[in-house]
Coordinates of all heavy atoms in Angstrom, one line a residue:
R109 N -16.0 -26.7 -99.9 CA -17.2 -25.9 -100.3 C -17.2 -25.4 -101.7 O -17.9 -24.5 -102.1 CB -17.3 -24.6 -99.3 CG -17.3 -25.0 -97.8 CD -18.6 -25.7 -97.5 NE -19.8 -25.0 -97.8 CZ -20.4 -24.1 -97.0 NH1 -19.9 -23.8 -95.8 NH2 -21.5 -23.5 -97.4
T110 N -16.3 -26.0 -102.5 CA -16.2 -25.6 -103.9 C -16.4 -26.8 -104.8 O -16.4 -27.9 -104.4 CB -14.8 -25.0 -104.2 OG1 -13.9 -26.0 -104.3 CG2 -14.4 -24.0 -103.2
S111 N -16.6 -26.5 -106.1 CA -16.7 -27.6 -107.1 C -15.5 -27.6 -108.0 O -15.5 -28.1 -109.2 CB -18.0 -27.3 -108.0 OG -17.9 -26.1 -108.7
F112 N -14.4 -27.2 -107.5 CA -13.1 -27.1 -108.3 C -12.6 -28.4 -108.7 O -12.6 -29.4 -107.9 CB -12.1 -26.3 -107.4 CG -10.8 -26.2 -108.1 CD1 -10.6 -25.4 -109.2 CD2 -9.7 -27.0 -107.7 CE1 -9.4 -25.3 -109.8 CE2 -8.5 -26.9 -108.3 CZ -8.3 -26.1 -109.4
E113 N -12.1 -28.5 -109.9 CA -11.3 -29.6 -110.4 C -10.1 -29.1 -111.1 O -10.1 -27.9 -111.6 CB -12.1 -30.4 -111.5 CG -13.4 -31.1 -110.9 CD -14.1 -31.9 -111.9 OE1 -13.6 -32.0 -113.1 OE2 -15.2 -32.5 -111.6
E114 N -9.0 -29.8 -111.0 CA -7.7 -29.4 -111.5 C -7.8 -29.0 -113.0 O -8.5 -29.7 -113.8 CB -6.6 -30.5 -111.4 CG -6.3 -30.8 -109.9 CD -5.5 -29.7 -109.2 OE1 -5.0 -28.7 -109.9 OE2 -5.5 -29.6 -108.0
G115 N -7.2 -27.9 -113.3 CA -7.2 -27.4 -114.7 C -8.2 -26.4 -115.0 O -8.2 -25.7 -116.1
Q116 N -9.1 -26.2 -114.1 CA -10.2 -25.2 -114.3 C -9.6 -23.8 -114.1 O -8.7 -23.5 -113.3 CB -11.3 -25.4 -113.4 CG -12.2 -26.6 -113.6 CD -13.3 -26.8 -112.7 OE1 -13.3 -26.2 -111.6 NE2 -14.4 -27.5 -113.1
S117 N -10.2 -22.8 -114.9 CA -9.7 -21.4 -114.8 C -10.6 -20.6 -113.8 O -10.4 -19.4 -113.6 CB -9.7 -20.7 -116.1 OG -11.0 -20.7 -116.7
E118 N -11.7 -21.2 -113.4 CA -12.6 -20.6 -112.5 C -13.1 -21.6 -111.4 O -13.0 -22.8 -111.7 CB -13.8 -19.9 -113.2 CG -14.7 -20.9 -113.9 CD -15.8 -20.1 -114.7 OE1 -15.6 -18.9 -115.0 OE2 -16.8 -20.8 -114.9
V119 N -13.6 -21.1 -110.3 CA -14.1 -21.9 -109.3 C -15.4 -21.5 -108.8 O -15.7 -20.3 -108.7 CB -13.1 -21.9 -108.0 CG1 -12.9 -20.5 -107.5 CG2 -13.6 -22.9 -107.0
E120 N -16.3 -22.5 -108.6 CA -17.7 -22.1 -108.2 C -17.8 -22.6 -106.7 O -17.3 -23.6 -106.3 CB -18.7 -22.9 -109.0 CG -20.1 -22.5 -108.6 CD -21.2 -23.2 -109.4 OE1 -20.8 -23.9 -110.4 OE2 -22.4 -23.0 -109.1
I121 N -18.4 -21.7 -105.9 CA -18.5 -21.9 -104.5 C -20.0 -22.2 -104.2 O -20.9 -21.6 -104.8 CB -18.1 -20.6 -103.7 CG1 -16.6 -20.4 -104.0 CG2 -18.3 -20.7 -102.2 CD1 -16.1 -19.1 -103.5
D122 N -20.3 -23.0 -103.2 CA -21.7 -23.4 -102.9 C -22.5 -22.4 -102.1 O -23.6 -22.7 -101.7 CB -21.7 -24.8 -102.3 CG -21.1 -24.8 -100.9 OD1 -20.7 -23.8 -100.4 OD2 -21.1 -25.9 -100.3
H123 N -21.9 -21.2 -101.9 CA -22.6 -20.2 -101.1 C -21.9 -18.9 -101.5 O -20.8 -18.8 -102.0 CB -22.4 -20.4 -99.6 CG -21.0 -20.4 -99.1 ND1 -20.1 -21.3 -99.4 CD2 -20.4 -19.4 -98.4 CE1 -18.9 -21.0 -98.8 NE2 -19.1 -19.8 -98.2
V124 N -22.6 -17.8 -101.1 CA -22.0 -16.5 -101.3 C -21.1 -16.3 -100.2 O -21.4 -16.3 -99.0 CB -23.1 -15.4 -101.3 CG1 -22.5 -14.0 -101.3 CG2 -24.1 -15.6 -102.4
P125 N -19.8 -16.1 -100.4 CA -18.8 -16.0 -99.4 C -19.0 -14.8 -98.5 O -19.3 -13.7 -98.9 CB -17.4 -15.9 -100.1 CG -17.8 -15.3 -101.5 CD -19.2 -15.9 -101.8
E126 N -18.8 -15.1 -97.2 CA -18.9 -14.0 -96.2 C -17.5 -13.3 -96.1 O -16.5 -14.0 -96.2 CB -19.3 -14.5 -94.8 CG -20.7 -15.2 -94.9 CD -21.0 -15.8 -93.5 OE1 -20.4 -15.3 -92.5 OE2 -21.8 -16.7 -93.5
P127 N -17.4 -12.0 -95.8 CA -16.1 -11.4 -95.7 C -15.3 -11.9 -94.5 O -15.8 -12.3 -93.5 CB -16.5 -9.9 -95.5 CG -17.9 -9.8 -95.9 CD -18.5 -11.1 -95.6
R128 N -14.0 -11.9 -94.7 CA -13.0 -12.0 -93.6 C -13.2 -13.4 -92.9 O -13.0 -13.4 -91.6 CB -13.1 -10.9 -92.6 CG -12.9 -9.5 -93.2 CD -13.2 -8.4 -92.2 NE -12.4 -8.4 -91.1 CZ -11.2 -7.9 -91.0 NH1 -10.7 -7.2 -92.0 NH2 -10.5 -7.9 -89.8
R129 N -13.4 -14.4 -93.6 CA -13.5 -15.7 -92.9 C -12.3 -16.6 -93.1 O -11.6 -16.5 -94.1 CB -14.7 -16.5 -93.5 CG -16.1 -15.8 -93.3 CD -16.4 -15.6 -91.8 NE -16.4 -16.9 -91.1 CZ -17.5 -17.6 -91.0 NH1 -18.7 -17.2 -91.5 NH2 -17.5 -18.7 -90.3
N130 N -12.0 -17.4 -92.1 CA -10.9 -18.5 -92.2 C -9.5 -17.8 -92.4 O -8.7 -18.4 -93.1 CB -11.2 -19.5 -93.2 CG -12.6 -20.2 -93.0 OD1 -12.9 -20.6 -91.9 ND2 -13.4 -20.3 -94.0
I131 N -9.3 -16.7 -91.7 CA -8.0 -16.0 -91.8 C -7.6 -15.7 -90.4 O -8.4 -15.1 -89.6 CB -8.1 -14.7 -92.6 CG1 -8.4 -15.1 -94.1 CG2 -6.8 -13.9 -92.5 CD1 -8.7 -13.8 -95.0
A132 N -6.4 -16.0 -90.0 CA -5.8 -15.5 -88.8 C -5.1 -14.2 -89.1 O -4.2 -14.1 -89.9 CB -4.8 -16.5 -88.3
W133 N -5.6 -13.1 -88.4 CA -5.2 -11.8 -88.8 C -3.9 -11.4 -88.2 O -3.6 -11.8 -87.0 CB -6.3 -10.8 -88.4 CG -7.6 -11.1 -89.1 CD1 -8.6 -11.8 -88.6 CD2 -7.9 -10.9 -90.5 NE1 -9.6 -12.0 -89.6 CE2 -9.2 -11.4 -90.8 CE3 -7.2 -10.3 -91.5 CZ2 -9.8 -11.3 -92.0 CZ3 -7.8 -10.2 -92.8 CH2 -9.1 -10.7 -93.0
R134 N -3.1 -10.6 -88.9 CA -1.8 -10.2 -88.4 C -2.0 -9.6 -87.0 O -2.8 -8.7 -86.8 CB -1.2 -9.1 -89.4 CG 0.1 -8.6 -88.8 CD 0.7 -7.7 -89.9 NE 2.0 -7.1 -89.3 CZ 3.0 -6.6 -90.0 NH1 2.8 -6.6 -91.4 NH2 4.1 -6.2 -89.5
G135 N -1.1 -10.1 -86.1 CA -1.1 -9.5 -84.7 C -2.2 -10.0 -83.8 O -2.3 -9.5 -82.7
E136 N -3.1 -10.9 -84.3 CA -4.2 -11.3 -83.4 C -3.7 -12.2 -82.2 O -4.4 -12.2 -81.2 CB -5.3 -12.0 -84.2 CG -5.0 -13.4 -84.7 CD -6.3 -14.0 -85.3 OE1 -7.2 -13.3 -85.7 OE2 -6.3 -15.2 -85.4
D137 N -2.6 -12.8 -82.3 CA -2.1 -13.6 -81.2 C -1.2 -12.8 -80.3 O -1.3 -12.9 -79.1 CB -1.3 -14.8 -81.8 CG -2.1 -15.8 -82.6 OD1 -3.4 -15.7 -82.4 OD2 -1.6 -16.6 -83.3
A138 N -0.3 -12.0 -80.9 CA 0.6 -11.1 -80.1 C 1.1 -10.0 -81.0 O 1.2 -10.2 -82.2 CB 1.7 -11.9 -79.6
H139 N 1.4 -8.9 -80.4 CA 2.0 -7.8 -81.1 C 3.5 -7.7 -80.8 O 4.0 -8.1 -79.7 CB 1.3 -6.5 -80.7 CG -0.1 -6.4 -81.2 ND1 -0.4 -6.2 -82.5 CD2 -1.3 -6.5 -80.5 CE1 -1.8 -6.2 -82.6 NE2 -2.3 -6.3 -81.4
E140 N 4.3 -7.1 -81.7 CA 5.7 -6.9 -81.5 C 5.9 -6.3 -80.2 O 5.3 -5.3 -79.8 CB 6.3 -6.1 -82.7 CG 7.7 -5.8 -82.5 CD 8.3 -4.9 -83.6 OE1 7.5 -4.7 -84.6 OE2 9.4 -4.4 -83.5
G141 N 6.9 -6.8 -79.4 CA 7.2 -6.3 -78.1 C 6.4 -6.9 -76.9 O 6.8 -6.7 -75.8
D142 N 5.4 -7.7 -77.2 CA 4.7 -8.4 -76.1 C 5.6 -9.4 -75.5 O 6.3 -10.2 -76.2 CB 3.4 -9.1 -76.7 CG 2.3 -8.1 -77.0 OD1 2.4 -6.9 -76.6 OD2 1.4 -8.5 -77.7
V143 N 5.5 -9.5 -74.1 CA 6.3 -10.5 -73.4 C 5.5 -11.9 -73.5 O 4.4 -12.0 -73.2 CB 6.5 -10.2 -71.9 CG1 7.1 -11.3 -71.2 CG2 7.4 -8.9 -71.9
L144 N 6.2 -12.9 -74.0 CA 5.6 -14.2 -74.1 C 6.1 -15.2 -73.0 O 5.3 -16.1 -72.7 CB 5.9 -14.8 -75.5 CG 5.4 -14.0 -76.7 CD1 5.6 -14.9 -78.0 CD2 4.0 -13.6 -76.6
V145 N 7.3 -15.0 -72.6 CA 7.8 -15.9 -71.5 C 8.4 -14.9 -70.4 O 9.3 -14.2 -70.8 CB 8.8 -16.9 -71.9 CG1 9.1 -17.9 -70.8 CG2 8.4 -17.6 -73.2
A146 N 7.9 -14.9 -69.2 CA 8.3 -13.9 -68.2 C 9.4 -14.4 -67.3 O 9.6 -15.6 -67.1 CB 7.1 -13.6 -67.3
R147 N 10.2 -13.5 -66.9 CA 11.3 -13.7 -65.9 C 10.7 -14.6 -64.8 O 9.6 -14.3 -64.3 CB 11.8 -12.4 -65.4 CG 12.9 -12.6 -64.3 CD 13.3 -11.2 -63.8 NE 14.4 -11.2 -62.9 CZ 14.4 -11.5 -61.6 NH1 13.3 -11.8 -61.0 NH2 15.6 -11.5 -60.9
G148 N 11.5 -15.6 -64.3 CA 11.0 -16.4 -63.2 C 10.4 -17.7 -63.6 O 10.0 -18.5 -62.8
T149 N 10.1 -17.8 -65.0 CA 9.5 -19.1 -65.5 C 10.5 -20.2 -65.5 O 11.6 -20.0 -66.0 CB 8.9 -18.8 -66.9 OG1 8.0 -17.8 -66.8 CG2 8.3 -20.1 -67.4
R150 N 10.1 -21.4 -65.0 CA 11.0 -22.6 -65.1 C 10.6 -23.1 -66.5 O 9.5 -23.5 -66.8 CB 10.7 -23.6 -64.0 CG 11.6 -24.8 -64.1 CD 11.5 -25.6 -62.8 NE 10.2 -26.1 -62.5 CZ 9.8 -27.3 -62.7 NH1 10.6 -28.2 -63.3 NH2 8.6 -27.7 -62.4
L151 N 11.6 -23.2 -67.4 CA 11.3 -23.4 -68.8 C 11.0 -24.8 -69.1 O 11.8 -25.7 -68.9 CB 12.5 -22.9 -69.6 CG 12.8 -21.4 -69.5 CD1 14.1 -21.1 -70.2 CD2 11.7 -20.6 -70.2
A152 N 9.8 -25.1 -69.6 CA 9.4 -26.4 -70.1 C 9.3 -26.4 -71.6 O 9.5 -25.3 -72.2 CB 8.0 -26.7 -69.5
P153 N 9.1 -27.5 -72.2 CA 9.0 -27.6 -73.7 C 8.1 -26.5 -74.4 O 8.5 -25.9 -75.4 CB 8.6 -29.0 -74.0 CG 9.1 -29.8 -72.9 CD 9.0 -28.9 -71.7
A154 N 6.9 -26.3 -73.8 CA 6.0 -25.3 -74.5 C 6.6 -23.9 -74.4 O 6.4 -23.1 -75.3 CB 4.7 -25.4 -73.8
H155 N 7.3 -23.6 -73.3 CA 7.9 -22.3 -73.2 C 9.0 -22.1 -74.2 O 9.2 -21.0 -74.8 CB 8.5 -22.1 -71.8 CG 7.6 -22.2 -70.7 ND1 7.8 -23.1 -69.6 CD2 6.4 -21.7 -70.4 CE1 6.8 -23.1 -68.8 NE2 5.9 -22.2 -69.3
L156 N 9.8 -23.2 -74.4 CA 10.9 -23.1 -75.4 C 10.4 -22.9 -76.8 O 10.9 -22.2 -77.6 CB 11.8 -24.4 -75.3 CG 12.5 -24.6 -73.9 CD1 13.2 -25.9 -74.0 CD2 13.4 -23.5 -73.6
S157 N 9.2 -23.6 -77.0 CA 8.6 -23.5 -78.4 C 8.1 -22.0 -78.6 O 8.4 -21.5 -79.7 CB 7.5 -24.5 -78.5 OG 6.8 -24.3 -79.7
V158 N 7.5 -21.5 -77.7 CA 6.9 -20.1 -77.9 C 8.1 -19.1 -77.9 O 8.0 -18.1 -78.6 CB 5.8 -19.8 -76.8 CG1 6.4 -19.4 -75.5 CG2 4.9 -18.6 -77.3
A159 N 9.1 -19.4 -77.1 CA 10.3 -18.5 -77.2 C 10.9 -18.5 -78.6 O 11.4 -17.4 -79.1 CB 11.3 -18.9 -76.1
A160 N 11.0 -19.7 -79.2 CA 11.5 -19.8 -80.5 C 10.6 -19.0 -81.5 O 11.1 -18.3 -82.4 CB 11.7 -21.2 -80.9
M161 N 9.3 -19.1 -81.3 CA 8.4 -18.4 -82.1 C 8.6 -16.9 -82.0 O 8.5 -16.1 -82.9 CB 7.0 -18.7 -81.8 CG 5.9 -17.9 -82.5 SD 4.2 -18.3 -82.0 CE 4.0 -19.9 -82.9
A162 N 9.0 -16.4 -80.8 CA 9.3 -15.0 -80.5 C 10.5 -14.5 -81.2 O 10.8 -13.3 -81.1 CB 9.3 -14.8 -79.0
G163 N 11.3 -15.4 -81.7 CA 12.6 -15.0 -82.3 C 13.8 -15.3 -81.5 O 14.9 -15.0 -81.9
A164 N 13.7 -15.8 -80.3 CA 14.8 -16.1 -79.4 C 15.6 -17.3 -79.9 O 15.0 -18.3 -80.2 CB 14.3 -16.3 -78.0
V165 N 16.9 -17.2 -79.8 CA 17.8 -18.3 -80.1 C 18.6 -18.6 -78.8 O 19.2 -19.7 -78.7 CB 18.7 -18.1 -81.3 CG1 17.9 -18.0 -82.5 CG2 19.6 -16.8 -81.1
E166 N 18.6 -17.7 -77.9 CA 19.2 -17.8 -76.6 C 18.3 -17.4 -75.5 O 17.3 -16.7 -75.7 CB 20.6 -17.0 -76.5 CG 21.6 -17.5 -77.5 CD 22.8 -16.6 -77.4 OE1 22.7 -15.4 -77.3 OE2 24.0 -17.2 -77.6
A167 N 18.7 -17.8 -74.3 CA 17.9 -17.3 -73.1 C 18.9 -16.9 -72.0 O 19.9 -17.6 -71.8 CB 17.0 -18.4 -72.6
V168 N 18.5 -15.9 -71.3 CA 19.3 -15.5 -70.1 C 18.7 -16.1 -68.9 O 17.5 -15.9 -68.6 CB 19.4 -13.9 -69.9 CG1 20.1 -13.6 -68.7 CG2 20.0 -13.3 -71.1
V169 N 19.4 -17.0 -68.2 CA 18.9 -17.8 -67.1 C 19.7 -17.5 -65.9 O 20.8 -17.0 -65.9 CB 18.8 -19.3 -67.5 CG1 17.9 -19.5 -68.7 CG2 20.2 -19.8 -67.8
F170 N 19.1 -17.9 -64.7 CA 19.9 -17.9 -63.5 C 20.9 -19.1 -63.5 O 20.5 -20.2 -63.9 CB 19.0 -18.0 -62.3 CG 18.2 -16.7 -62.1 CD1 16.9 -16.6 -62.6 CD2 18.7 -15.7 -61.4 CE1 16.1 -15.5 -62.4 CE2 17.9 -14.5 -61.2 CZ 16.7 -14.4 -61.7
R171 N 22.1 -18.8 -63.1 CA 23.1 -19.9 -63.0 C 22.6 -21.0 -62.1 O 22.0 -20.7 -61.1 CB 24.4 -19.3 -62.6 CG 25.3 -18.7 -63.7 CD 26.6 -18.2 -63.2 NE 27.3 -19.2 -62.4 CZ 28.4 -18.9 -61.6 NH1 28.8 -17.7 -61.6 NH2 29.0 -19.9 -61.0
R172 N 23.0 -22.2 -62.4 CA 22.6 -23.3 -61.6 C 23.3 -23.2 -60.2 O 24.5 -23.1 -60.1 CB 23.1 -24.6 -62.2 CG 22.7 -24.9 -63.6 CD 23.4 -26.1 -64.1 NE 23.3 -26.4 -65.5 CZ 22.4 -27.2 -66.0 NH1 21.6 -27.9 -65.2 NH2 22.4 -27.4 -67.3
P173 N 22.5 -23.2 -59.1 CA 23.2 -23.3 -57.8 C 23.8 -24.7 -57.7 O 23.3 -25.7 -58.2 CB 22.1 -23.0 -56.8 CG 20.8 -23.4 -57.5 CD 21.1 -23.1 -59.0
V174 N 24.9 -24.8 -57.0 CA 25.5 -26.0 -56.7 C 25.0 -26.6 -55.4 O 25.1 -25.9 -54.4 CB 27.1 -25.9 -56.7 CG1 27.7 -27.2 -56.3 CG2 27.6 -25.4 -58.0
V175 N 24.5 -27.8 -55.4 CA 23.9 -28.4 -54.2 C 24.7 -29.6 -53.9 O 25.0 -30.5 -54.8 CB 22.4 -28.8 -54.4 CG1 21.9 -29.5 -53.2 CG2 21.6 -27.5 -54.7
S176 N 25.2 -29.7 -52.7 CA 25.9 -30.9 -52.2 C 25.0 -31.7 -51.2 O 24.6 -31.1 -50.2 CB 27.2 -30.5 -51.6 OG 28.0 -31.6 -51.3
V177 N 24.7 -32.9 -51.6 CA 23.8 -33.7 -50.8 C 24.7 -34.7 -50.0 O 25.5 -35.4 -50.6 CB 22.8 -34.5 -51.7 CG1 22.0 -35.5 -50.8 CG2 21.9 -33.5 -52.4
V178 N 24.5 -34.8 -48.7 CA 25.2 -35.7 -47.9 C 24.2 -36.6 -47.2 O 23.4 -36.1 -46.3 CB 26.1 -35.0 -46.8 CG1 26.8 -36.1 -46.0 CG2 27.1 -34.1 -47.5
T179 N 24.0 -37.8 -47.6 CA 23.1 -38.8 -47.0 C 23.9 -39.3 -45.8 O 25.1 -39.5 -45.9 CB 22.7 -39.9 -47.9 OG1 23.8 -40.5 -48.5 CG2 21.8 -39.3 -49.0
T180 N 23.2 -39.6 -44.7 CA 23.9 -40.1 -43.5 C 23.3 -41.3 -42.9 O 22.1 -41.7 -43.3 CB 23.9 -39.0 -42.4 OG1 22.6 -38.9 -41.8 CG2 24.4 -37.6 -42.9
G181 N 24.1 -42.0 -42.1 CA 23.5 -43.2 -41.4 C 24.3 -44.5 -41.7 O 24.6 -44.8 -42.8
D182 N 24.6 -45.2 -40.6 CA 25.3 -46.5 -40.7 C 24.4 -47.5 -41.5 O 24.9 -48.4 -42.2 CB 25.6 -47.0 -39.3 CG 26.7 -46.2 -38.6 OD1 27.4 -45.5 -39.3 OD2 26.8 -46.4 -37.3
E183 N 23.1 -47.4 -41.3 CA 22.2 -48.4 -41.9 C 22.0 -48.2 -43.4 O 21.6 -49.2 -44.1 CB 20.8 -48.3 -41.2 CG 20.0 -47.1 -41.5 CD 20.4 -45.8 -40.8 OE1 21.5 -45.7 -40.2 OE2 19.6 -44.8 -40.8
V184 N 22.2 -47.0 -43.9 CA 22.0 -46.7 -45.3 C 23.1 -47.4 -46.2 O 24.3 -47.1 -46.0 CB 22.0 -45.2 -45.6 CG1 21.8 -45.0 -47.1 CG2 20.8 -44.6 -44.8
G185 N 22.7 -48.3 -47.0 CA 23.6 -49.0 -47.9 C 24.2 -50.2 -47.2 O 25.0 -50.9 -47.9
S186 N 23.9 -50.5 -46.0 CA 24.5 -51.6 -45.3 C 23.9 -52.9 -45.9 O 22.7 -53.0 -46.2 CB 24.2 -51.5 -43.8 OG 24.6 -52.7 -43.2
T187 N 24.7 -53.9 -45.9 CA 24.2 -55.2 -46.5 C 23.7 -56.1 -45.3 O 23.3 -57.2 -45.6 CB 25.3 -55.9 -47.3 OG1 26.5 -56.1 -46.4 CG2 25.7 -55.1 -48.5
G188 N 23.8 -55.7 -44.1 CA 23.4 -56.5 -43.0 C 21.9 -56.6 -42.9 O 21.1 -56.0 -43.6
A189 N 21.4 -57.4 -41.9 CA 20.0 -57.6 -41.8 C 19.2 -56.4 -41.4 O 18.0 -56.2 -41.7 CB 19.7 -58.7 -40.7
A190 N 19.9 -55.4 -40.8 CA 19.2 -54.2 -40.4 C 19.5 -53.0 -41.4 O 19.2 -51.9 -41.1 CB 19.7 -53.8 -39.0
G191 N 20.2 -53.3 -42.5 CA 20.5 -52.3 -43.4 C 19.3 -51.9 -44.3 O 18.3 -52.6 -44.4
I192 N 19.4 -50.7 -44.8 CA 18.3 -50.2 -45.7 C 19.0 -49.7 -47.0 O 20.1 -49.2 -47.0 CB 17.4 -49.1 -45.0 CG1 18.3 -47.9 -44.7 CG2 16.7 -49.6 -43.8 CD1 17.5 -46.7 -44.2
R193 N 18.2 -49.7 -48.1 CA 18.7 -49.2 -49.3 C 18.5 -47.7 -49.3 O 17.6 -47.1 -48.7 CB 18.0 -49.8 -50.5 CG 18.3 -51.3 -50.6 CD 17.4 -52.0 -51.6 NE 17.8 -53.4 -51.8 CZ 16.9 -54.4 -52.1 NH1 15.6 -54.1 -52.2 NH2 17.4 -55.6 -52.2
D194 N 19.4 -47.0 -50.1 CA 19.4 -45.5 -50.2 C 18.3 -45.1 -51.2 O 18.6 -45.2 -52.4 CB 20.8 -45.0 -50.5 CG 20.7 -43.5 -50.7 OD1 19.8 -42.8 -50.2 OD2 21.7 -43.0 -51.3
S195 N 17.2 -44.7 -50.7 CA 16.2 -44.1 -51.6 C 16.2 -42.6 -51.6 O 15.7 -41.9 -52.5 CB 14.8 -44.6 -51.2 OG 14.5 -44.3 -49.9
N196 N 16.8 -42.0 -50.5 CA 16.8 -40.5 -50.4 C 17.7 -39.9 -51.4 O 17.4 -38.8 -52.0 CB 17.2 -40.1 -49.0 CG 16.2 -40.5 -48.0 OD1 15.0 -40.6 -48.3 ND2 16.6 -40.7 -46.7
G197 N 18.8 -40.5 -51.7 CA 19.8 -39.9 -52.6 C 19.2 -39.8 -54.0 O 19.2 -38.7 -54.6
P198 N 18.6 -40.9 -54.6 CA 18.0 -40.8 -55.9 C 16.8 -39.9 -55.9 O 16.6 -39.2 -56.9 CB 17.5 -42.3 -56.2 CG 18.5 -43.1 -55.4 CD 18.8 -42.3 -54.1
L199 N 16.0 -39.8 -54.8 CA 14.9 -38.8 -54.8 C 15.4 -37.4 -54.9 O 14.9 -36.6 -55.8 CB 14.2 -39.0 -53.4 CG 13.2 -37.9 -53.1 CD1 12.0 -37.9 -54.1 CD2 12.6 -38.0 -51.7
L200 N 16.4 -37.0 -54.2 CA 17.0 -35.7 -54.2 C 17.6 -35.4 -55.6 O 17.5 -34.3 -56.1 CB 17.9 -35.4 -53.1 CG 17.2 -35.4 -51.7 CD1 18.3 -35.3 -50.6 CD2 16.3 -34.2 -51.6
D201 N 18.3 -36.4 -56.1 CA 18.9 -36.2 -57.4 C 17.9 -35.9 -58.5 O 18.0 -35.0 -59.3 CB 19.6 -37.5 -57.9 CG 21.0 -37.7 -57.2 OD1 21.5 -36.8 -56.6 OD2 21.5 -38.9 -57.3
G202 N 16.7 -36.6 -58.4 CA 15.7 -36.4 -59.4 C 15.0 -35.0 -59.2 O 14.7 -34.3 -60.2
L203 N 14.7 -34.7 -58.0 CA 14.1 -33.4 -57.7 C 15.0 -32.2 -58.2 O 14.5 -31.3 -58.9 CB 13.8 -33.2 -56.3 CG 12.6 -34.0 -55.7 CD1 12.5 -33.8 -54.2 CD2 11.3 -33.6 -56.3
L204 N 16.2 -32.3 -57.9 CA 17.2 -31.2 -58.2 C 17.4 -31.2 -59.7 O 17.6 -30.1 -60.3 CB 18.4 -31.4 -57.4 CG 18.2 -31.2 -55.9 CD1 19.5 -31.6 -55.1 CD2 17.8 -29.8 -55.5
D205 N 17.5 -32.4 -60.3 CA 17.7 -32.4 -61.8 C 16.5 -31.7 -62.5 O 16.7 -31.1 -63.5 CB 17.9 -33.8 -62.2 CG 18.1 -33.9 -63.7 OD1 19.1 -33.5 -64.2 OD2 17.2 -34.4 -64.5
A206 N 15.3 -31.9 -62.0 CA 14.1 -31.3 -62.6 C 14.2 -29.8 -62.6 O 13.6 -29.1 -63.4 CB 12.9 -31.7 -61.9
L207 N 15.0 -29.2 -61.7 CA 15.2 -27.8 -61.6 C 16.5 -27.3 -62.3 O 16.9 -26.2 -62.3 CB 15.3 -27.3 -60.1 CG 14.0 -27.4 -59.3 CD1 14.3 -26.8 -57.9 CD2 12.9 -26.6 -60.0
G208 N 17.2 -28.3 -63.0 CA 18.4 -27.9 -63.6 C 19.5 -27.5 -62.7 O 20.4 -26.7 -63.0

Side-chain angles (χ1 to χ4, degrees):
R109 300 295 302 272
T110 75
S111 59
F112 175 74
E113 294 183 6
E114 294 292 343
Q116 291 181 337
S117 61
E118 61 182 25
V119 59
E120 183 176 358
I121 298 170
D122 66 2
H123 65 288
V124 175
E126 300 177 22
R128 302 171 62 87
R129 298 301 299 271
N130 302 315
I131 296 173
W133 300 100
R134 175 173 180 162
E136 72 174 19
D137 296 344
H139 293 288
E140 179 182 347
D142 286 346
V143 173
L144 300 191
V145 192
R147 179 186 188 276
T149 301
R150 183 164 63 96
L151 295 170
H155 303 127
L156 299 177
S157 176
V158 78
M161 175 181 284
V165 295
E166 296 179 321
V168 178
V169 298
F170 290 94
R171 277 181 50 192
R172 306 172 190 263
V174 176
V175 178
S176 188
V177 174
V178 181
T179 55
T180 72
D182 292 342
E183 73 281 14
V184 177
S186 171
T187 57
I192 62 172
R193 292 170 175 149
D194 178 19
S195 59
N196 291 333
L199 168 64
L200 292 173
D201 283 349
L203 287 175
L204 296 171
D205 180 69
L207 290 183

